[in-house]
Each structure stands twice: as C-alpha cells, then as structure tokens.
Coordinates of all heavy atoms in Angstrom, one line a residue:
M1 N 0.8 -1.1 0.0 CA 0.0 0.0 0.0 C 0.9 1.2 0.0 O 1.9 1.2 0.6 CB -0.9 -0.1 1.3 CG -1.8 1.0 1.3 SD -2.9 1.0 2.7 CE -1.8 1.6 3.9
T2 N 0.5 2.3 -0.7 CA 1.2 3.5 -0.9 C 0.4 4.6 -1.4 O -0.6 4.5 -2.1 CB 2.4 3.3 -2.0 OG1 3.2 4.5 -1.9 CG2 2.0 2.9 -3.3
S3 N 0.8 5.8 -1.0 CA 0.1 7.0 -1.4 C 0.8 7.5 -2.8 O 0.4 8.6 -3.4 CB 0.0 8.0 -0.6 OG 1.4 8.5 0.0
D4 N 2.1 6.9 -3.1 CA 2.8 7.3 -4.3 C 3.2 6.2 -5.1 O 4.4 5.7 -5.0 CB 4.0 8.3 -3.9 CG 4.8 8.9 -5.0 OD1 4.5 8.5 -6.1 OD2 5.5 9.8 -4.7
L5 N 2.3 5.7 -6.0 CA 2.7 4.5 -6.8 C 3.8 4.6 -7.6 O 4.7 3.6 -7.6 CB 1.4 4.1 -7.4 CG 1.5 2.7 -8.3 CD1 1.8 1.5 -7.1 CD2 0.2 2.4 -8.9
P6 N 4.1 5.7 -8.3 CA 5.3 5.6 -9.2 C 6.6 5.6 -8.3 O 7.6 4.9 -8.7 CB 5.3 7.0 -9.9 CG 3.7 7.3 -10.0 CD 3.2 6.7 -8.7
Q7 N 6.6 6.3 -7.2 CA 7.8 6.2 -6.4 C 8.0 4.8 -5.7 O 9.1 4.2 -5.6 CB 7.6 7.1 -5.2 CG 8.8 7.1 -4.2 CD 8.6 8.0 -3.0 OE1 7.6 8.5 -2.7 NE2 9.7 8.2 -2.2
R8 N 6.8 4.1 -5.4 CA 7.0 2.8 -4.8 C 7.5 1.9 -5.8 O 8.2 0.9 -5.5 CB 5.5 2.3 -4.3 CG 5.7 1.0 -3.5 CD 6.4 1.4 -2.2 NE 6.2 0.1 -1.2 CZ 7.0 -0.2 -0.4 NH1 8.1 0.4 -0.1 NH2 6.7 -1.4 0.3
I9 N 7.0 2.0 -7.0 CA 7.4 1.1 -8.2 C 9.1 1.2 -8.4 O 9.8 0.3 -8.5 CB 6.8 1.4 -9.5 CG1 5.3 1.0 -9.3 CG2 7.3 0.6 -10.6 CD1 4.4 1.5 -10.3
Y10 N 9.5 2.5 -8.4 CA 10.9 2.9 -8.5 C 11.6 2.1 -7.3 O 12.8 1.5 -7.6 CB 11.1 4.3 -8.4 CG 12.6 4.7 -8.4 CD1 13.3 4.8 -9.4 CD2 13.3 4.9 -7.1 CE1 14.6 5.0 -9.5 CE2 14.6 5.2 -7.1 CZ 15.3 5.2 -8.3 OH 16.7 5.6 -8.3
Q11 N 11.1 2.1 -6.1 CA 11.9 1.4 -5.0 C 11.9 0.0 -5.3 O 12.9 -0.6 -5.0 CB 11.1 1.7 -3.8 CG 11.1 3.1 -3.3 CD 10.1 3.5 -2.2 OE1 9.2 2.7 -1.8 NE2 10.3 4.5 -1.5
H12 N 10.8 -0.6 -5.7 CA 10.9 -2.1 -6.0 C 11.8 -2.5 -7.2 O 12.5 -3.4 -7.0 CB 9.4 -2.6 -6.3 CG 8.6 -2.7 -5.0 ND1 8.8 -3.7 -4.1 CD2 7.4 -2.0 -4.8 CE1 7.8 -3.5 -3.1 NE2 7.0 -2.5 -3.5
R13 N 11.8 -1.7 -8.1 CA 12.5 -2.0 -9.3 C 14.1 -1.9 -8.9 O 14.9 -2.5 -9.6 CB 12.3 -1.1 -10.4 CG 10.9 -1.4 -11.1 CD 10.7 -0.4 -12.2 NE 9.3 -0.8 -12.8 CZ 9.0 -1.0 -14.1 NH1 10.1 -0.8 -14.9 NH2 7.9 -1.4 -14.4
N14 N 14.4 -1.0 -8.0 CA 15.9 -0.8 -7.7 C 16.3 -1.4 -6.3 O 17.1 -1.0 -5.6 CB 16.1 0.7 -7.6 CG 16.0 1.3 -9.1 OD1 16.9 1.2 -9.8 ND2 14.9 2.0 -9.2
R15 N 15.3 -2.4 -5.8 CA 15.6 -3.2 -4.7 C 15.7 -2.3 -3.4 O 16.5 -2.7 -2.5 CB 16.9 -4.1 -4.9 CG 16.6 -5.0 -6.0 CD 17.8 -6.0 -6.1 NE 17.6 -6.9 -7.2 CZ 18.5 -8.0 -7.3 NH1 19.4 -8.2 -6.5 NH2 18.2 -8.8 -8.3
L16 N 15.0 -1.3 -3.3 CA 15.2 -0.3 -2.2 C 14.1 -0.7 -1.1 O 14.2 -0.4 0.0 CB 15.0 1.2 -2.7 CG 16.0 1.5 -3.6 CD1 15.8 2.9 -4.2 CD2 17.5 1.5 -3.1
A17 N 13.1 -1.5 -1.5 CA 12.1 -1.8 -0.6 C 12.2 -3.3 -0.3 O 12.3 -4.2 -1.0 CB 10.8 -1.6 -1.4
D18 N 12.3 -3.6 1.1 CA 12.5 -4.9 1.5 C 11.0 -5.6 1.3 O 10.0 -5.1 1.3 CB 12.8 -5.0 3.0 CG 14.2 -4.5 3.1 OD1 15.1 -4.8 2.2 OD2 14.6 -4.0 4.2
G19 N 11.0 -7.0 1.4 CA 9.8 -7.7 1.4 C 9.9 -8.6 0.2 O 10.6 -9.0 -0.4
F20 N 8.6 -9.0 0.0 CA 8.2 -10.0 -1.2 C 8.9 -9.7 -2.5 O 9.5 -10.5 -3.1 CB 6.7 -10.2 -1.5 CG 6.4 -11.1 -2.3 CD1 6.1 -12.4 -2.0 CD2 6.2 -10.8 -3.7 CE1 5.7 -13.4 -3.0 CE2 5.8 -11.7 -4.6 CZ 5.6 -13.2 -4.2
S21 N 8.8 -8.4 -3.0 CA 9.3 -8.1 -4.3 C 10.8 -8.1 -4.3 O 11.3 -8.6 -5.4 CB 8.8 -6.6 -4.8 OG 9.2 -5.7 -3.8
K22 N 11.5 -7.8 -3.3 CA 12.9 -7.9 -3.3 C 13.3 -9.3 -3.1 O 14.2 -9.8 -3.9 CB 13.4 -7.1 -2.0 CG 15.0 -7.0 -2.0 CD 15.4 -6.1 -0.9 CE 16.9 -6.0 -0.8 NZ 17.4 -5.0 0.2
R23 N 12.6 -9.9 -2.3 CA 13.2 -11.4 -2.1 C 12.9 -12.3 -3.4 O 13.7 -13.1 -3.7 CB 12.1 -12.1 -1.0 CG 12.6 -13.4 -0.6 CD 11.8 -14.0 0.6 NE 11.6 -13.0 1.7 CZ 10.3 -12.6 2.0 NH1 9.2 -13.1 1.5 NH2 10.1 -11.6 2.9
Y24 N 11.7 -12.0 -4.2 CA 11.5 -12.8 -5.4 C 11.8 -12.0 -6.6 O 11.5 -12.5 -7.7 CB 10.0 -13.3 -5.4 CG 9.8 -14.3 -4.2 CD1 9.2 -13.8 -3.0 CD2 10.3 -15.6 -4.3 CE1 8.9 -14.7 -2.0 CE2 10.0 -16.5 -3.2 CZ 9.4 -16.0 -2.1 OH 9.2 -16.8 -1.0
E25 N 12.5 -10.9 -6.5 CA 13.0 -10.2 -7.7 C 11.8 -9.8 -8.6 O 12.0 -9.9 -9.8 CB 14.2 -10.9 -8.4 CG 15.4 -11.2 -7.5 CD 16.6 -11.7 -8.2 OE1 16.6 -11.6 -9.5 OE2 17.5 -12.2 -7.6
C26 N 10.8 -9.3 -8.1 CA 9.6 -8.8 -8.8 C 10.0 -7.3 -9.3 O 10.3 -6.5 -8.5 CB 8.4 -8.7 -8.0 SG 7.9 -10.3 -7.4
R27 N 9.9 -7.2 -10.7 CA 10.2 -5.9 -11.1 C 9.0 -5.2 -12.0 O 9.2 -4.0 -12.3 CB 11.5 -6.0 -12.1 CG 12.7 -6.7 -11.6 CD 13.3 -5.6 -10.5 NE 14.4 -6.1 -9.9 CZ 14.4 -6.6 -8.6 NH1 13.4 -6.5 -7.9 NH2 15.4 -7.1 -8.2
S28 N 8.0 -6.0 -12.4 CA 6.9 -5.5 -13.1 C 5.7 -5.3 -12.3 O 5.3 -5.9 -11.4 CB 6.6 -6.4 -14.2 OG 7.7 -6.6 -15.1
L29 N 4.9 -4.1 -12.6 CA 3.7 -3.9 -12.0 C 2.6 -4.6 -12.8 O 2.4 -4.0 -14.0 CB 3.4 -2.4 -11.8 CG 2.1 -1.9 -11.3 CD1 1.9 -2.5 -10.0 CD2 1.8 -0.5 -11.5
V30 N 2.0 -5.5 -12.4 CA 1.0 -6.2 -13.2 C -0.5 -6.1 -12.8 O -1.4 -6.4 -13.5 CB 1.4 -7.6 -13.4 CG1 2.7 -7.9 -14.3 CG2 1.4 -8.3 -12.1
W31 N -0.5 -5.5 -11.6 CA -1.9 -5.3 -11.0 C -1.8 -4.2 -10.0 O -0.8 -4.0 -9.3 CB -2.4 -6.5 -10.4 CG -3.9 -6.4 -9.8 CD1 -5.0 -6.7 -10.5 CD2 -4.3 -6.0 -8.4 NE1 -6.0 -6.5 -9.8 CE2 -5.7 -6.0 -8.4 CE3 -3.5 -5.6 -7.4 CZ2 -6.4 -5.7 -7.2 CZ3 -4.2 -5.1 -6.3 CH2 -5.7 -5.4 -6.2
Y32 N -2.8 -3.3 -9.8 CA -2.9 -2.3 -8.9 C -4.4 -1.9 -8.6 O -5.3 -2.1 -9.5 CB -2.2 -1.2 -9.0 CG -2.5 -0.2 -10.1 CD1 -3.5 0.8 -9.9 CD2 -2.1 -0.5 -11.4 CE1 -3.8 1.7 -11.0 CE2 -2.6 0.3 -12.6 CZ -3.3 1.4 -12.3 OH -3.8 2.1 -13.3
A33 N -4.7 -1.4 -7.5 CA -6.1 -1.0 -7.2 C -5.9 0.5 -6.6 O -5.1 0.6 -5.7 CB -7.0 -1.8 -6.3
A34 N -6.8 1.4 -6.9 CA -6.8 2.7 -6.3 C -8.0 2.9 -5.3 O -9.1 2.5 -5.7 CB -6.9 3.8 -7.4
F35 N -7.7 3.6 -4.3 CA -8.7 3.8 -3.3 C -8.7 5.3 -2.9 O -7.6 5.9 -2.7 CB -8.5 3.0 -2.0 CG -8.8 1.5 -2.3 CD1 -7.7 0.7 -2.7 CD2 -10.0 0.9 -1.9 CE1 -7.8 -0.7 -2.9 CE2 -10.1 -0.4 -2.2 CZ -9.1 -1.3 -2.7
D36 N -9.9 5.9 -2.5 CA -9.9 7.3 -2.0 C -9.6 7.3 -0.5 O -9.0 8.2 0.0 CB -11.3 7.8 -2.4 CG -11.4 8.1 -3.7 OD1 -10.5 8.4 -4.5 OD2 -12.6 7.9 -4.3
D37 N -10.0 6.2 0.1 CA -9.9 6.2 1.5 C -8.7 5.2 2.0 O -8.7 4.1 1.5 CB -11.2 5.7 2.3 CG -11.0 5.8 3.7 OD1 -10.4 5.2 4.3 OD2 -11.9 6.5 4.3
I38 N -7.8 5.7 2.6 CA -6.6 4.8 3.1 C -7.0 3.7 3.9 O -6.4 2.6 3.8 CB -5.5 5.6 3.9 CG1 -4.2 4.9 3.8 CG2 -5.8 6.1 5.1 CD1 -2.9 5.7 4.2
Q39 N -8.0 3.7 4.7 CA -8.4 2.6 5.6 C -9.1 1.5 4.6 O -9.0 0.3 4.9 CB -9.4 3.1 6.5 CG -8.7 3.6 7.8 CD -9.2 4.9 8.3 OE1 -10.1 5.5 7.8 NE2 -8.7 5.4 9.4
D40 N -9.7 1.9 3.6 CA -10.3 1.0 2.6 C -9.2 0.3 1.9 O -9.1 -1.0 1.8 CB -11.2 1.6 1.6 CG -12.4 2.2 2.1 OD1 -12.9 1.8 3.2 OD2 -13.1 3.0 1.5
A41 N -8.1 0.9 1.6 CA -7.0 0.4 1.0 C -6.3 -0.7 1.8 O -5.9 -1.8 1.4 CB -6.0 1.5 0.5
R42 N -6.0 -0.3 3.1 CA -5.5 -1.1 4.1 C -6.4 -2.4 4.2 O -5.8 -3.5 4.4 CB -5.3 -0.5 5.3 CG -4.5 -1.3 6.4 CD -3.2 -1.4 6.0 NE -2.6 -2.2 7.2 CZ -1.5 -3.1 6.9 NH1 -1.1 -3.5 5.8 NH2 -1.0 -3.6 7.9
A43 N -7.6 -2.3 4.4 CA -8.5 -3.4 4.5 C -8.4 -4.4 3.4 O -8.4 -5.6 3.6 CB -9.9 -3.0 4.8
R44 N -8.4 -3.8 2.2 CA -8.3 -4.7 1.0 C -6.9 -5.3 1.0 O -6.9 -6.6 0.6 CB -8.3 -3.8 -0.2 CG -8.4 -4.6 -1.5 CD -9.5 -5.6 -1.6 NE -9.6 -6.0 -2.9 CZ -10.2 -7.1 -3.2 NH1 -11.1 -7.5 -2.4 NH2 -10.4 -7.4 -4.6
E45 N -5.9 -4.7 1.3 CA -4.6 -5.2 1.4 C -4.5 -6.5 2.4 O -4.1 -7.6 2.0 CB -3.4 -4.3 1.9 CG -2.0 -5.0 1.9 CD -0.9 -3.9 2.4 OE1 -1.3 -3.1 3.3 OE2 0.0 -4.0 1.9
L46 N -5.0 -6.3 3.5 CA -5.1 -7.4 4.6 C -5.9 -8.5 4.1 O -5.5 -9.7 4.4 CB -5.7 -6.8 5.8 CG -4.6 -5.8 6.6 CD1 -5.3 -5.2 7.9 CD2 -3.3 -6.5 7.0
Q47 N -7.0 -8.3 3.4 CA -8.0 -9.3 3.0 C -7.2 -10.0 1.9 O -7.2 -11.4 1.8 CB -9.2 -8.5 2.3 CG -10.1 -9.5 1.7 CD -11.2 -8.8 1.0 OE1 -11.0 -7.9 0.2 NE2 -12.5 -9.2 1.3
M48 N -6.6 -9.5 1.0 CA -5.9 -10.2 -0.1 C -4.7 -10.9 0.3 O -4.3 -12.1 -0.2 CB -5.3 -9.2 -1.2 CG -6.6 -8.5 -2.0 SD -6.0 -7.5 -3.4 CE -5.6 -8.7 -4.6
K49 N -4.0 -10.5 1.5 CA -2.9 -11.4 1.9 C -3.4 -12.7 2.4 O -2.7 -13.7 2.3 CB -2.2 -10.6 3.1 CG -1.4 -9.6 2.5 CD -0.7 -8.9 3.7 CE 0.3 -7.8 3.2 NZ 1.3 -7.4 4.0
K50 N -4.8 -12.9 2.6 CA -5.3 -14.2 3.1 C -5.8 -15.0 1.8 O -6.1 -16.2 2.0 CB -6.5 -14.0 4.0 CG -6.0 -13.3 5.3 CD -7.2 -13.1 6.2 CE -6.9 -12.2 7.5 NZ -7.9 -11.9 8.3
W51 N -5.7 -14.4 0.7 CA -6.2 -15.1 -0.4 C -5.3 -16.2 -0.8 O -4.1 -16.1 -0.7 CB -6.3 -14.2 -1.7 CG -7.5 -13.2 -1.7 CD1 -8.4 -12.9 -0.7 CD2 -7.9 -12.3 -2.8 NE1 -9.3 -12.0 -1.0 CE2 -9.1 -11.7 -2.3 CE3 -7.5 -12.2 -4.0 CZ2 -9.8 -10.7 -3.1 CZ3 -8.1 -11.3 -4.9 CH2 -9.2 -10.6 -4.4
K52 N -5.9 -17.2 -1.5 CA -5.1 -18.3 -2.2 C -4.4 -17.6 -3.5 O -4.9 -16.7 -4.0 CB -6.0 -19.4 -2.6 CG -6.7 -20.1 -1.6 CD -7.5 -21.1 -2.0 CE -8.3 -22.0 -0.7 NZ -9.0 -23.0 -1.1
R53 N -3.3 -18.3 -3.8 CA -2.6 -17.8 -5.0 C -3.5 -17.8 -6.3 O -3.3 -16.8 -7.0 CB -1.3 -18.7 -5.1 CG -0.3 -18.2 -6.2 CD 0.8 -19.1 -6.3 NE 1.5 -18.8 -7.6 CZ 2.6 -17.9 -7.5 NH1 2.7 -17.2 -6.5 NH2 3.2 -17.6 -8.6
A54 N -4.2 -18.8 -6.4 CA -5.1 -18.8 -7.6 C -6.1 -17.7 -7.7 O -6.3 -17.1 -8.8 CB -5.9 -20.2 -7.6
W55 N -6.5 -17.1 -6.6 CA -7.5 -16.0 -6.5 C -6.7 -14.7 -7.0 O -7.2 -13.9 -7.6 CB -8.0 -15.8 -5.2 CG -9.0 -17.0 -4.8 CD1 -9.3 -18.1 -5.4 CD2 -9.4 -17.0 -3.4 NE1 -10.2 -18.8 -4.6 CE2 -10.1 -18.4 -3.3 CE3 -9.3 -16.4 -2.2 CZ2 -10.7 -18.9 -2.2 CZ3 -10.0 -16.8 -1.0 CH2 -10.7 -18.0 -1.1
K56 N -5.4 -14.7 -6.5 CA -4.6 -13.4 -6.8 C -4.3 -13.4 -8.2 O -4.4 -12.5 -9.1 CB -3.4 -13.4 -6.1 CG -3.6 -13.1 -4.6 CD -2.3 -13.4 -3.8 CE -2.6 -13.3 -2.2 NZ -1.4 -13.4 -1.4
L57 N -4.0 -14.6 -8.8 CA -3.8 -14.8 -10.3 C -4.9 -14.5 -11.1 O -4.8 -13.8 -12.2 CB -3.2 -16.2 -10.6 CG -1.8 -16.6 -10.1 CD1 -1.6 -18.0 -10.3 CD2 -0.8 -15.6 -10.5
Q58 N -6.1 -14.9 -10.6 CA -7.3 -14.6 -11.4 C -7.6 -13.0 -11.4 O -8.1 -12.5 -12.3 CB -8.5 -15.2 -10.6 CG -9.9 -15.1 -11.4 CD -11.0 -15.9 -10.6 OE1 -10.8 -16.1 -9.4 NE2 -12.0 -16.3 -11.4
A59 N -7.3 -12.2 -10.3 CA -7.5 -10.9 -10.2 C -6.6 -10.2 -11.2 O -6.9 -9.2 -11.9 CB -7.3 -10.3 -8.8
I60 N -5.3 -10.6 -11.3 CA -4.3 -10.0 -12.3 C -4.9 -10.2 -13.7 O -4.9 -9.4 -14.4 CB -3.0 -10.6 -12.1 CG1 -2.4 -10.2 -10.7 CG2 -2.0 -10.3 -13.1 CD1 -1.0 -11.1 -10.4
E61 N -5.2 -11.6 -14.1 CA -5.6 -11.8 -15.3 C -6.9 -11.1 -15.8 O -7.1 -10.9 -16.9 CB -5.6 -13.3 -15.6 CG -4.2 -13.9 -15.6 CD -4.1 -15.3 -15.8 OE1 -5.1 -16.0 -15.8 OE2 -2.9 -15.8 -15.7
K62 N -7.7 -10.8 -14.8 CA -9.0 -10.1 -15.1 C -8.6 -8.6 -15.6 O -9.2 -8.0 -16.5 CB -9.8 -10.1 -13.9 CG -11.2 -9.4 -14.2 CD -12.1 -9.5 -13.0 CE -13.5 -8.9 -13.2 NZ -14.4 -8.9 -12.2
M63 N -7.8 -8.0 -14.8 CA -7.3 -6.7 -15.0 C -6.4 -6.5 -16.3 O -6.4 -5.6 -17.0 CB -6.7 -6.0 -13.9 CG -6.2 -4.6 -14.0 SD -5.4 -4.0 -12.4 CE -4.9 -2.3 -12.9
N64 N -5.5 -7.6 -16.3 CA -4.3 -7.4 -17.2 C -3.9 -8.9 -17.7 O -3.0 -9.4 -17.4 CB -3.1 -6.9 -16.4 CG -1.8 -6.7 -17.3 OD1 -1.8 -6.8 -18.4 ND2 -0.7 -6.4 -16.5
P65 N -4.8 -9.3 -18.7 CA -4.7 -10.6 -19.2 C -3.4 -11.0 -19.9 O -3.0 -12.0 -19.9 CB -5.8 -10.8 -20.2 CG -6.3 -9.4 -20.5 CD -5.9 -8.5 -19.2
D66 N -2.6 -9.9 -20.4 CA -1.4 -10.2 -21.1 C -0.2 -10.0 -20.1 O 1.0 -10.2 -20.5 CB -1.2 -9.3 -22.3 CG -2.3 -9.4 -23.3 OD1 -2.6 -10.6 -23.5 OD2 -2.7 -8.5 -24.0
W67 N -0.4 -9.7 -18.8 CA 0.6 -9.5 -17.8 C 1.7 -8.4 -18.3 O 2.9 -8.6 -18.1 CB 1.3 -10.8 -17.5 CG 0.5 -11.7 -16.7 CD1 -0.6 -12.4 -17.1 CD2 0.6 -12.1 -15.3 NE1 -1.1 -13.1 -16.1 CE2 -0.3 -13.0 -15.0 CE3 1.6 -11.8 -14.4 CZ2 -0.5 -13.6 -13.8 CZ3 1.5 -12.4 -13.2 CH2 0.5 -13.3 -12.8
R68 N 1.2 -7.5 -19.0 CA 2.2 -6.4 -19.4 C 2.5 -5.5 -18.1 O 1.7 -5.3 -17.3 CB 1.6 -5.4 -20.5 CG 0.3 -5.2 -20.7 CD -0.1 -4.4 -21.9 NE -1.2 -3.5 -21.4 CZ -1.0 -2.3 -20.9 NH1 0.2 -1.7 -20.9 NH2 -2.0 -1.6 -20.5
D69 N 3.7 -4.8 -18.3 CA 4.2 -3.9 -17.3 C 3.3 -2.7 -17.3 O 3.3 -2.0 -18.3 CB 5.7 -3.6 -17.3 CG 6.1 -2.9 -16.1 OD1 5.4 -2.5 -15.3 OD2 7.4 -2.7 -16.1
L70 N 2.5 -2.4 -16.2 CA 1.6 -1.3 -16.3 C 2.2 0.1 -15.7 O 1.6 1.1 -15.7 CB 0.4 -1.6 -15.3 CG -0.5 -2.7 -15.6 CD1 -1.5 -3.0 -14.6 CD2 -1.0 -2.6 -17.0
F71 N 3.5 0.1 -15.5 CA 4.2 1.2 -15.0 C 4.0 2.5 -15.8 O 3.7 3.5 -15.4 CB 5.7 0.9 -14.7 CG 6.5 2.2 -14.3 CD1 6.2 2.7 -13.1 CD2 7.3 2.8 -15.1 CE1 6.9 3.8 -12.7 CE2 8.0 4.0 -14.7 CZ 7.7 4.4 -13.5
K72 N 4.3 2.2 -17.2 CA 4.1 3.4 -18.2 C 2.7 4.0 -18.1 O 2.5 5.1 -18.4 CB 4.5 2.9 -19.5 CG 5.9 2.6 -19.6 CD 6.3 2.1 -21.0 CE 7.8 1.6 -21.1 NZ 8.1 1.1 -22.2
D73 N 1.6 3.1 -17.8 CA 0.3 3.6 -17.9 C 0.0 4.5 -16.7 O -0.7 5.6 -16.8 CB -0.6 2.4 -17.7 CG -0.7 1.5 -19.0 OD1 0.0 1.8 -19.9 OD2 -1.3 0.4 -18.8
I74 N 0.8 4.2 -15.7 CA 0.5 5.1 -14.4 C 1.4 6.3 -14.2 O 1.1 7.1 -13.4 CB 0.3 4.3 -13.1 CG1 1.5 3.5 -12.7 CG2 -0.8 3.4 -13.1 CD1 2.3 4.3 -11.7
A75 N 2.6 6.2 -14.8 CA 3.7 7.2 -14.6 C 3.5 8.3 -15.6 O 4.2 9.4 -15.5 CB 5.0 6.5 -15.0
Q76 N 2.4 8.3 -16.4 CA 2.4 9.6 -17.5 C 1.6 10.7 -16.6 O 1.0 10.8 -15.7 CB 1.4 9.2 -18.5 CG 2.2 8.0 -19.3 CD 1.2 7.6 -20.4 OE1 0.1 8.1 -20.7 NE2 1.6 6.5 -21.1

C-alpha cells in the first residue's frame, strides 16, 4: 500500500524496498487498485494477503490478461 505508486515502483525496481518483491526479484507492475480512503486500501490489502494464490492470479488476469508492465500507464 502506498500513496505514491510511481515512487513505490521505483523502490521495488531498484531493490530499495524490503519484502516480497525484493526477495523474489519482482520488477513489473501487473496489477494495482486505487482507493480514495486509506483505511479501505489497508483493509483490502489485509484481505488479499489471506487469499489463495489462484485468486490473486485470477485478479491479475482479469485486469491485465497479457501480464504487461503497467508502470508506463500510471507514470504519465
């Protein structure tokens, strides 16, 4: 969760953020969701952490069936 998605993507791509993306060398943004309320965003994040992997993959493929890097879409 972040209030500055382009900055957070930069951190992940340059291994500046610890966690899942650094550990597994994730470099592409393939899914994201925007929220107006930070508490709604946090609740969704916690909910998704409990999801099965198949559910997460389904969410990605619904939004981005070709798994393209969405960074250019949001950085404009």
Side-chain angles (χ1 to χ4, degrees):
M1 185 179 75
T2 183
S3 61
D4 188 344
L5 188 55
Q7 178 185 9
R8 189 69 169 153
I9 295 167
Y10 175 85
Q11 292 169 346
H12 284 292
R13 287 178 182 226
N14 292 285
R15 298 181 180 192
L16 302 175
D18 290 332
F20 182 91
S21 62
K22 185 175 184 179
R23 187 176 319 120
Y24 294 102
E25 298 186 16
C26 300
R27 300 287 177 261
S28 299
L29 175 69
V30 295
W31 183 91
Y32 67 93
F35 293 86
D36 292 327
D37 185 301
I38 196 163
Q39 277 129 3
D40 291 342
R42 182 70 177 143
R44 182 63 166 169
E45 178 184 36
L46 293 173
Q47 180 186 48
M48 290 183 78
K49 284 185 177 192
K50 296 177 184 176
W51 283 13
K52 295 179 181 180
R53 181 178 177 89
W55 299 349
K56 294 174 188 177
L57 294 173
Q58 185 178 27
I60 292 168
E61 292 182 355
K62 183 176 181 182
M63 177 184 182
N64 185 4
D66 297 325
W67 287 69
R68 29 178 222 97
D69 189 351
L70 303 174
F71 176 70
K72 291 178 185 173
D73 296 350
I74 60 106
Q76 296 178 9

